[in-house]
Amino acid sequence: MNSFSSNVNKTLQSNTFLGLIVGENVITLQRVNSTNDYLKSKLSNSTPYQEGTVIMAVEQYAGKGQAGNTWVSEAGQNLTLSILLNPTFLLPKEQFRLNIAISLAIIECIKPILGESVRIKWPNDIYVNNKKIGGILIENIIRGSKWKHAIIGIALNVNQTSFGIQKTKACSLKKLLNKDFDLHKLLKLLCAAVSKQYHVLKKGGHLLQRELYKQCLFRFNTPSSFLIDGVQVIGTITDVDDQGKLIIDFDGHLTKFCIKEISFVI
Ligand code: BTN
């Protein structure tokens, strides 16, 4: 057994104690517009999917990214999936805690393969050496003041090697390590990691998770360039608050930003 397979087995064994096993029910679709939209429309038609159900696409022809962007992924080469979670134990204003848990799960899944260079670019892009290897799009279904469902859209670039000229900042496991990976094994590892981090969150572990998240942040505690209102500035990321705002130190002055207010200069 190679180290990747043995890691899959160990992770699965150590997660069998968890209440919710993400990925017990995996629905694989050959071709779909967006796994997030598919899951959302099934839920709106009252399809009784169990929590932890995974909708996995071989090909996604209208994949959605953050901030209204599209997400393009070569058919059959990558992980493009949505996970149904029902985080009724959190308030809608605590949404960022789930972002943190899912980001940590992806890191936990790929760090054994890629090592310490794996980072979370705030708020939830997955980066390796200044290049994006994955992303997260969480869509919430909230009724009144209650959080009913979270649709956890995850993309992880695995075996795709060419991303087109506009996507110079994209990378994949294969581009980095020059070998193919088994998508089903990776899916199992990812589901096990999501089960674990979700369990930790449910048991009240959000403060610890936020600390771990900060330690994994791209350019944490490192003076870096940012764009604010079109102006390039240098500051240092020092913290992230419970709402997910980024806290940057500009010569001793701490300022909080939400996603639309700041971007990284990479
Ligand atoms: C990002 O912009 O970084 C987030 C990308 C999230 C893409 C995934 S692919 C599976 C799921 N279905 C979608 O339409 N989007 C998410």
Side-chain angles (χ1 to χ4, degrees):
M1 195 186 295
N2 62 30
S3 65
F4 180 55
S5 301
S6 110
N7 199 19
V8 173
N9 285 340
K10 272 192 227 144
T11 309
L12 293 177
Q13 280 158 17
S14 65
N15 276 302
T16 47
F17 69 92
L18 299 177
L20 170 70
I21 306 294
V22 172
E24 238 173 17
N25 182 30
V26 177
I27 296 167
T28 303
L29 304 172
Q30 206 49 44
R31 195 164 185 272
V32 66
N33 52 356
S34 146
T35 54
N36 272 28
D37 284 351
Y38 179 90
L39 188 48
K40 232 189 300 175
S41 84
K42 287 287 178 190
L43 291 173
S44 70
N45 293 333
S46 305
T47 307
Y49 284 146
Q50 68 189 62
E51 190 178 21
T53 293
V54 174
I55 308 293
M56 158 99 175
V58 174
E59 181 180 357
Q60 212 180 210
Y61 59 85
K64 301 188 305 182
Q66 288 160 23
N69 291 320
T70 53
W71 185 266
V72 181
S73 176
E74 201 177 311
Q77 301 301 316
N78 303 310
L79 289 181
T80 46
L81 59 101
S82 301
I83 302 171
L84 172 63
L85 294 177
N86 304 331
T88 48
F89 58 95
L90 290 176
L91 296 169
K93 69 174 187 201
E94 295 166 338
Q95 287 174 29
F96 197 70
R97 296 182 188 179
L98 187 59
N99 268 268
I100 288 180
I102 301 301
S103 304
L104 289 177
I106 300 178
I107 296 289
E108 182 178 328
C109 170
I110 59 175
K111 216 179 199 173
I113 304 170
L114 290 168
E116 292 299 318
S117 55
V118 183
R119 288 270 166 264
I120 303 162
K121 180 171 149 285
W122 176 85
N124 48 22
D125 284 342
I126 308 299
Y127 261 59
V128 184
N129 303 330
N130 291 338
K131 298 217 167 185
K132 181 161 171 170
I133 194 165
I136 303 168
L137 177 66
I138 301 182
E139 297 188 78
N140 298 313
I141 299 174
I142 290 167
R143 299 236 175 82
S145 60
K146 294 253 186 283
W147 195 355
K148 285 279 184 200
H149 304 293
I151 295 170
I152 314 291
I154 298 178
L156 183 65
N157 296 333
V158 182
N159 294 323
Q160 181 169 345
T161 51
S162 147
F163 292 91
I165 39 173
Q166 306 101 314
K167 297 275 174 199
T168 51
K169 288 203 166 57
C171 73
S172 66
L173 288 177
K174 183 165 183 183
K175 263 197 114 172
L176 291 164
L177 299 174
N178 208 20
K179 62 177 188 177
D180 281 298
F181 286 82
D182 182 324
L183 291 180
H184 287 101
K185 284 184 183 166
L186 267 178
L187 175 66
K188 280 189 173 173
L189 278 177
L190 181 63
C191 289
V194 173
S195 300
K196 181 178 142 194
Q197 293 297 338
Y198 190 58
H199 179 78
V200 172
L201 178 61
K202 219 173 189 170
K203 295 286 163 208
H206 66 276
L207 289 177
L208 173 69
Q209 287 181 317
R210 182 140 54 99
E211 278 312 307
L212 293 172
Y213 172 89
K214 281 191 272 180
Q215 285 164 26
C216 294
L217 272 187
F218 178 70
R219 298 194 176 161
F220 185 67
N221 268 342
T222 310
S224 312
S225 293
F226 299 91
L227 264 191
I228 301 169
D229 289 333
V231 179
Q232 192 164 330
V233 291
I234 293 188
T236 304
I237 299 173
T238 57
D239 212 342
V240 175
D241 75 8
D242 194 33
Q243 271 72 53
K245 287 194 176 158
L246 190 67
I247 302 175
I248 301 194
D249 181 338
F250 298 104
D251 290 329
H253 299 283
L254 299 185
T255 312
K256 289 188 179 192
F257 295 92
C258 55
I259 182 72
K260 289 187 184 133
E261 296 171 333
I262 190 162
S263 59
F264 287 76
V265 177
I266 296 177

